[in-house]
Amino acid sequence: MKHYGLQHWSENNFTIKNGELIVNTKSHPSLLEITSTIRAEDVRGPIILRFPHLIQKQLQNLYKHFEYSIEENNYKGSFKAVFPLKVNQFPHLVQAVVDAGKMLNYGLEAGSKAELILAMSHINEGAYITVNGFKDKEMITLAFIAAQSGHNIVLTIEGLGELKTIIEVAQESSLTIPKIGIRVRLHATGSGSWAKSGGMDAKFGLTATEILEATRLLKENNLLEHFTMIHFHIGSQMDDISPMKRSLREAGNIYAELKMLGASALSSINIGGGLAVNYTQNDHSVMHNYTLEEFSSSVVFLLGEIMDAKGIAHPDIFTESGRYIVASHSVLITPVLELFSQDYHENLLDLKNSNPPLVEELHDLYRTLSPKNALEYLHDALDHIESLFTLFDLGYIDLQDRSNAEILVHNIIKKSLSLTSNVESKELKELQVHMQERYLINASIFQSIPDHWGLTQNFPVMPIHHLEQKPLRGASIWDITCDSDGEIGFNPSEPLYLHDIDLKNEEYFLAFFNTGAYQEALGMSHNLFTHPNEYTIEINDKDFTISNAQESKNILEILSSLGYDAQKLLEKLKRELTKSTFITEKEKNDTLSKLEIFLSQNGYLRTTS
Ligand SMILES: *Cc1c(COP(=O)(O)O)cnc(C)c1O
């Protein structure tokens, strides 16, 4: 895995220069520079960096490819896109998406009442709002209110019941009627882990019989002129393009049939989202089998072909890809708090005047290690430590001897791995697997990359500096939750190597990439670790600026959000301390202020051991 697989996942967004990871722009700031600037303000926990220029890039790519395919295929419909808010609803992200989409008339998709309100309050003038998901009368009324307020809104029904409610609201009020879409249930299924969105047993969509009934109801109630869209979504992170092609054929034919049945206002097909993002860092596991170019040209070509065969005008094409648009824009940077083997630092060695022979032997091995003998001595050391553990269990050596032995062996392993770093050997590789170093990060996996926990989704991870050095330690990553699932284990088939850093002398930062889609929205407050501090990083030709700083909730806020009376809680702690005896008034007052400060900070760690 050369350079942490940058060539697979980074899409040239980041690259390495002078040993640091830099943002690949004209002014190429390094992530370390940005991180240090933020940390100079006494920030210690994990941070989320948002890069709006990467949203812009994805959006432009999407439109560019579809517009190119439309021209190439002499397609008569136009291309339109909306951002599905469920992918990430955080305000600075939504604002960045809306800003980046202004010139493109990029819209928003809402799947719940709260998201609909968000869409209505943030949409660029004239851009589309599409509404999916299950709806009650209130939500349908909200869509009428949106239409009445001048929004360009399409209400997509997931079932006949919803259509009947639309008819009801239309009859009961004189509010503007929104455009109506129908989600179709396709027999073609999706691919990837999220394929449940499509297929005959899908959670959503109308069957052929229901579509006919819906058309009849629309006609009967004079609403046919509002029926403009059919919609489907086959699932997220499509790894294969063929289910999309099958779905398009099916949906395209449904569209054409409906046009022939008199749905004259029908003018668009919404193909949902699902464009995949590369999360892999490894040469041997490339994730999806299509490019955006192939995707857009297949969609446009197929729809054109179907319509031409039936003599139907080409529909406008809508997409709702979310992951593809925002995954890359956010980077999580976390300090490493501890390397497990630091517990075995050489300084801690405390040899006696007279040591057990095997300990003496280890000491000799350590002193005389060289590139030539490293492998052999390493074997000897591993043998000796086993014997020494046995001697300890049998009571022949004491705790001090055992401590010295453990320190010596750890240092022999470390030194011999670095002495042999240029040697390519299967055995050394295996030893590295065996001798993993554990890196404790100041972050929560449950909060910041929940899909790692829930779906074993890999996120690209790498250090943002020291990249001029070869990383030698097979690494597993531990987070600061007290949950043993808060770990990214070392995987020998996709090994991660990190640097051996003396954290007493310098800091070490790891970055997780492609975390901008779903992770923030799904993030769990396990152990009450909340959404980290976040910053928007705007990059210009000379420099970068940091804006939109939003701090992680502090401890009292976290407790309040769960429904505790934080003020009462603080008062109680203060009262108990005040009543206590045996310290001076001064120390008591100092401690009281300390307590208040602690509770006004977030829950991430501020110091290391
Ligand atoms: C989730 C969802 C999307 C977005 O999917 P991505 O995989 O993020 O592109 C689009 N449309 C609908 C209806 C969805 O439910």
Side-chain angles (χ1 to χ4, degrees), residues 184 208 211-212 215 219 224 227 230 248-264 266 269 303 306-313 315:
V184 296
I211 294 169
L212 290 172
T215 318
K219 197 180 271 176
L224 211 48
F227 174 37
I230 66 164
L248 272 169
R249 279 199 195 94
E250 202 179 339
N253 277 298
I254 294 174
Y255 179 94
E257 291 285 317
L258 286 171
K259 288 295 279 188
M260 294 189 286
L261 285 175
S264 55
L266 189 57
I269 291 194
L303 283 179
I306 294 164
M307 300 309 148
D308 291 348
K310 294 201 164 166
I312 302 287

Side-chain angles (χ1 to χ4, degrees), residues 433 436-439 445 452 458 461 474-479 484-497:
V433 172
Q436 299 156 38
E437 176 67 283
R438 292 173 220 158
Y439 291 75
I445 287 171
H452 176 81
N458 282 321
V461 56
S476 58
I477 294 174
W478 288 22
D479 76 2
S484 57
D485 281 340
E487 185 196 352
I488 302 174
F490 184 80
N491 177 355
S493 65
E494 302 186 2
L496 173 70
Y497 293 97

Side-chain angles (χ1 to χ4, degrees), residues 84 86-87 132 183 231 233 236-237 273-274 320-323 518:
K86 77 159 189 279
V87 180
N132 300 315
R183 182 153 177 174
H231 173 248
H233 169 65
S236 207
Q237 188 66 4
E320 299 177 328
S321 267
R323 183 187 298 273
Y518 297 104

